[in-house]
Amino acid sequence: MENDEKTGLQTPSVNAGPDWGSEWIFCPVCGEQIPAKGAFCMHCGSNIQEFRVPGTDSDVASAQPQAQQGYPQAQQTYPQAQQGYGHVQQGYNPPPKFFNPSDPRLKQFQSTTLKPEQQELVRCTNLNKSYGMQSAIYDLNLAIGSGRIIGLLGPNGSGKTTLIKLICGLLTPTAGTISVCGMPIGPSTKALVSYLPDRSYIPDWMTIRDIIEYFSDFYADFRAPLAETMLANMNIRLDARMKTLSKGNQEKVQLVLVMSRNAKIYLLDEPIAGVDPVARDYILDTILRMHNPESSVLLSTHLITDIEPVLDEAIMIKCGTLVLQGEANQLRSKFGKSLNDIFKEVFAGC
């Protein structure tokens, strides 16, 4: 742990995960429980620093009596703040809603540990991203190593797409840092990242041949012969226009284009959501065979059962904060159940 010079609060070191055993306080705006070390409320996005007195750790608790009394803006904005939360009125700190931090099965999976042979591809340090008053990524500490197929898992609104866009450089952090291969986000890192968004981005009037030529001109690492071979195996003609293809076939085309690059990290946001079960197996096999063995694939999806057989590692996040990260086999062994069942247990009630 390191001391913040401005606030006097303790913050996690670069390699540390969230310290779920640390002190919890109540947000003075919405009244929800939050970690004392945070800069923003993970529920309403309020800047908690405005309500703190810089100094010792004991000053952090001063926000709790204020939350009990209620701020005028909280009473005007949040009806539940007018009525008062039971746990705020009683003055005790309940555990987080999404899991029990004292569960011994969780502790070994709450920080990132890379193997000696792995190259560090992505590093997030105290990463925050807010959209106005809404916090999407909250004090995230995370590292992603090479040679892995990783499932990025979490309920709706957990920050998965925001994290992927931050790695791509499509979004700028509100606070904290993020790097790719040891470099800050910029043109040099964007050349190392291959990104598949969760929606179509290719003009529907283009033919498949036109798209391949476009990618060949735009990306120096694009492997056109590989893309043509994969599309032929999927019975997708090069002279077909995107608008004539079904939604599932359009997603196949976009996945092939992304995986045909020789990138360091592949970021796939819901790559199999719109395809039939038979095509899913082929697409997952394509991901396994086409990606560079020295690279990693970060795959965001809700279809955990379908992708579990190909995963080397799983990352589970909630409210933009790391909940679990570990090798798939170790997680299954520790919990005694599948990743899908672990997901249901960890996020029960969310």
Side-chain angles (χ1 to χ4, degrees):
M1 303 292 286
E2 299 175 354
N3 287 327
D4 190 308
E5 296 180 356
K6 294 183 178 180
T7 64
L9 307 183
Q10 286 189 325
T11 57
S13 58
V14 171
N15 295 321
D19 182 7
W20 296 107
S22 64
E23 185 178 0
W24 291 76
I25 64 172
F26 297 100
C27 174
V29 176
C30 68
E32 286 284 1
Q33 188 186 22
I34 58 173
K37 66 181 178 62
F40 298 89
C41 175
M42 67 175 68
H43 302 283
C44 69
S46 299
N47 185 353
I48 306 304
Q49 303 292 359
E50 297 178 355
F51 302 98
R52 291 180 175 164
V53 178
T56 63
D57 291 341
S58 61
D59 292 327
V60 178
S62 64
Q64 181 172 331
Q66 294 170 340
Q68 293 173 345
Q69 297 170 11
Y71 277 83
Q73 64 267 38
Q75 295 176 352
Q76 296 169 9
T77 307
Y78 297 90
Q80 63 268 37
Q82 291 180 319
Q83 301 171 4
Y85 287 88
H87 59 263
V88 175
Q89 295 173 344
Q90 296 173 20
Y92 69 90
N93 294 341
K97 297 177 181 179
F98 43 96
F99 70 95
N100 182 358
S102 64
D103 190 330
R105 297 175 301 173
L106 305 177
K107 291 188 178 297
Q108 73 181 88
F109 301 111
Q110 290 175 0
S111 61
T112 299
T113 303
L114 300 182
K115 294 184 177 180
E117 66 273 13
Q118 283 186 292
Q119 176 189 358
E120 182 182 286
L121 299 182
V122 177
R123 168 72 64 179
C124 302
T125 306
N126 298 333
L127 186 65
N128 284 269
K129 177 60 181 177
S130 297
Y131 300 99
M133 297 293 291
Q134 181 64 42
S135 178
I137 299 294
Y138 182 78
D139 280 353
L140 179 65
N141 290 276
L142 174 69
I144 296 175
S146 59
R148 315 288 279 171
I149 296 180
I150 306 167
L152 179 61
L153 314 175
N156 292 329
S158 60
K160 301 187 298 297
T161 296
T162 297
L163 176 59
I164 287 175
K165 289 183 176 180
L166 285 167
I167 298 173
C168 292
L170 297 176
L171 294 174
T172 303
T174 304
T177 62
I178 182 170
S179 63
V180 173
C181 294
M183 299 179 290
I185 301 299
S188 57
T189 64
K190 292 180 181 180
L192 304 176
V193 175
S194 188
Y195 170 49
L196 176 67
D198 59 351
R199 62 192 66 189
S200 179
Y201 61 94
I202 298 175
D204 59 6
W205 56 264
M206 295 183 74
T207 67
I208 306 305
R209 183 177 288 106
D210 292 336
I211 299 169
I212 290 176
E213 292 176 357
Y214 177 79
F215 268 65
S216 298
D217 291 340
F218 199 82
Y219 297 108
D221 60 359
F222 186 73
R223 299 168 287 184
L226 178 60
E228 293 175 358
T229 299
M230 295 303 301
L231 291 170
N233 291 339
M234 294 180 179
N235 297 316
I236 298 177
R237 295 165 41 191
L238 297 182
D239 60 352
R241 296 187 183 276
M242 282 292 288
K243 64 183 178 182
T244 66
L245 301 179
S246 66
K247 184 177 184 296
N249 280 342
Q250 289 180 6
E251 292 192 1
K252 293 178 187 177
V253 170
Q254 293 179 103
L255 177 65
V256 166
L257 293 171
V258 168
M259 298 304 300
S260 293
R261 289 187 56 197
N262 189 20
K264 278 290 187 180
I265 183 165
Y266 301 86
L267 304 174
L268 312 181
D269 198 354
E270 298 288 350
I272 58 175
V275 298
D276 59 83
V278 175
R280 287 175 191 170
D281 293 337
Y282 185 80
I283 288 175
L284 293 174
D285 182 64
T286 299
I287 293 172
L288 279 171
R289 292 187 291 109
M290 291 180 67
H291 87 280
N292 183 341
E294 296 181 356
S295 66
S296 283
V297 178
L298 185 65
L299 197 159
S300 168
T301 185
H302 292 116
L303 303 174
I304 303 174
T305 301
D306 293 306
I307 69 165
E308 183 166 346
V310 306
L311 294 183
D312 301 311
E313 186 177 324
I315 296 173
M316 298 187 187
I317 62 175
K318 166 67 177 177
C319 295
T321 301
L322 180 66
V323 175
L324 287 181
Q325 180 180 12
E327 293 191 10
N329 288 336
Q330 289 183 355
L331 286 167
R332 284 189 285 259
S333 175
K334 193 68 175 180
F335 282 80
K337 56 185 67 175
S338 67
L339 292 181
N340 189 51
D341 289 336
I342 295 172
F343 180 89
K344 293 178 180 178
E345 176 179 341
V346 170
F347 296 105
C350 294

